[in-house]
Amino acid sequence: MNYRHIYHAGNFADVLKHAVLARLIRYMQKKEGAIRVLDTHAGIGLYDLSSEEAQKTGEWQAGIGRLMEAELGPQVSELLEPYLAAIRELNPEGGIRFYPGSPKLARMLFRPQDRLSAMELHPEDYARLHRLFEGDHHARITELDGWLALGAHLPPKEKRGIVLVDPPFEEEDEYERLAKGLEKAYRRFPGGTYCLWYPLKKGAPIKEFHEALQALDIPKMLCAELTVRSDRGMTGLTGSGLVVVNPPFTLKDELHQMLPALKDHLAQDRFASHRAFWLRGENKTVKDD
């Protein structure tokens, strides 16, 4: 309950997460049927990067701040356009003051038939999220522990959807909880696309987390990781990863294009790297760089 995302909004981890989320939404929208995006740890939805909290860390400057000013090749620009266009829409006068959290980004990318379910447990953050979407019939905002949503809110009535699980990782067992949460959710909604975020930092049990996911009876899981600096002498976040369950068949190739560009523009030292690989499924890797 202590975690507040305003201190980290727009950082390199958000860039990876939101760029991939936008690709997942656009892929699912290729079919006419409605989709539901379920965001289990939604935050406040929209972040003012000029606020005292955001300015205190300034993390966004090394994240979305760099990316918005980067010269991107045509293929990468096309892949990132849905994500970056939403940020430009929020900042019509130029610059970057407002940054969309996952629920706001998803809502901005929706068609009329698409729907959002967003969960937030922190009382203040829930109140702000509820105000942001007040009167919006495409969004259902619930004050709830997001872990419970993986049971109670699945499957969605649309039968097509993306489940974003982005916990704060305040507790040591969050990696284990994430694997168990996926197992429970997948039993209820095996046809859904799941996007699980996790932090990379010194001492994190990444190998054990990946092994726990591989042990699940889930046919296809694609993993993407972006590290922006060495963990030598570091105790904080040095990178982040995403596990995508039931990924679009196009996503691996899209990551092959996006990850090198994100690494080049967001690197904080010469040890920055990226990788994309199958935890379960096709067993074809994108090489580390």
Side-chain angles (χ1 to χ4, degrees):
M1 294 293 289
N2 294 323
Y3 179 86
R4 307 302 293 277
H5 192 65
I6 182 60
Y7 292 99
H8 314 289
N11 69 0
F12 66 86
D14 265 3
V15 168
L16 175 63
K17 175 178 60 181
H18 292 149
V20 171
L21 176 62
R23 297 311 310 157
L24 296 177
I25 292 172
R26 282 292 183 252
Y27 179 83
M28 295 197 76
Q29 289 173 335
K30 290 183 178 181
K31 293 184 178 180
E32 185 62 26
I35 65 171
R36 169 87 52 174
V37 173
L38 173 63
D39 191 338
T40 63
H41 299 77
I44 64 175
L46 183 64
Y47 298 91
D48 184 347
L49 300 182
S50 69
S51 68
E52 180 180 350
E53 297 91 341
Q55 291 292 322
K56 184 175 181 179
T57 62
E59 289 186 17
W60 66 273
Q61 296 176 26
I64 191 58
R66 287 191 189 177
L67 189 63
M68 292 294 285
E69 296 179 354
E71 293 186 10
L72 303 169
Q75 291 180 316
V76 174
S77 293
E78 183 178 355
L79 292 173
L80 293 177
E81 179 59 18
Y83 166 47
L84 299 182
I87 297 171
R88 289 194 295 268
E89 182 179 339
L90 289 171
N91 299 277
E93 297 180 359
I96 312 172
R97 177 179 175 184
F98 295 106
Y99 183 82
S102 303
K104 180 65 174 177
L105 175 64
R107 180 66 184 90
M108 294 179 73
L109 297 177
F110 278 178
R111 304 163 301 175
Q113 64 267 44
D114 299 329
R115 297 293 184 270
L116 169 71
S117 292
M119 316 296 159
E120 178 52 51
L121 183 61
H122 193 290
E124 288 183 40
D125 289 357
Y126 163 75
R128 294 182 65 176
L129 184 67
H130 188 271
R131 286 195 299 271
L132 180 65
F133 289 102
E134 191 169 5
D136 186 344
H137 300 296
H138 292 77
R140 178 183 179 186
I141 312 302
T142 306
E143 187 173 7
L144 181 71
D145 183 341
W147 296 112
L148 299 178
L150 294 176
H153 288 259
L154 293 176
K157 66 179 182 180
E158 293 83 3
K159 305 302 181 186
R160 300 179 64 235
I162 299 165
V163 181
L164 176 64
V165 189
D166 177 21
F169 280 85
E170 290 184 302
E171 306 295 334
E172 291 186 0
D173 67 346
E174 293 267 49
Y175 293 92
E176 180 181 358
R177 197 175 189 184
L178 189 55
K180 290 181 177 179
L182 173 62
E183 182 180 25
K184 177 176 69 173
Y186 187 83
R187 285 199 301 265
R188 295 182 62 90
F189 186 34
T193 294
Y194 296 83
C195 187
L196 316 178
W197 181 88
Y198 59 94
L200 298 174
K201 54 186 178 180
K202 190 172 185 177
I206 304 302
K207 182 175 182 291
E208 293 80 3
F209 173 57
H210 286 170
E211 289 174 347
L213 292 175
Q214 289 170 327
L216 302 178
D217 188 21
I218 297 175
K220 284 194 175 184
M221 288 187 279
L222 182 64
C223 185
E225 293 182 346
L226 174 67
T227 299
V228 298
R229 59 177 176 257
S230 169
D231 64 4
R232 298 176 186 177
M234 292 288 299
T235 57
L237 193 69
T238 58
S240 69
L242 295 171
V243 173
V244 182
V245 174
N246 295 329
F249 77 95
T250 57
L251 185 60
K252 181 177 74 71
D253 288 339
E254 293 179 353
L255 289 171
H256 184 65
Q257 297 178 61
M258 290 193 299
L259 286 175
L262 294 180
K263 187 211 74 171
D264 288 345
H265 292 293
L266 304 184
Q268 297 180 19
D269 66 24
R270 64 186 180 89
F271 297 100
S273 64
H274 66 84
R275 61 176 183 157
F277 57 96
W278 291 97
L279 281 174
R280 290 285 300 271
E282 298 188 16
N283 295 320
K284 294 178 182 179
T285 63
V286 176
K287 294 181 180 179
D288 294 8
D289 186 11

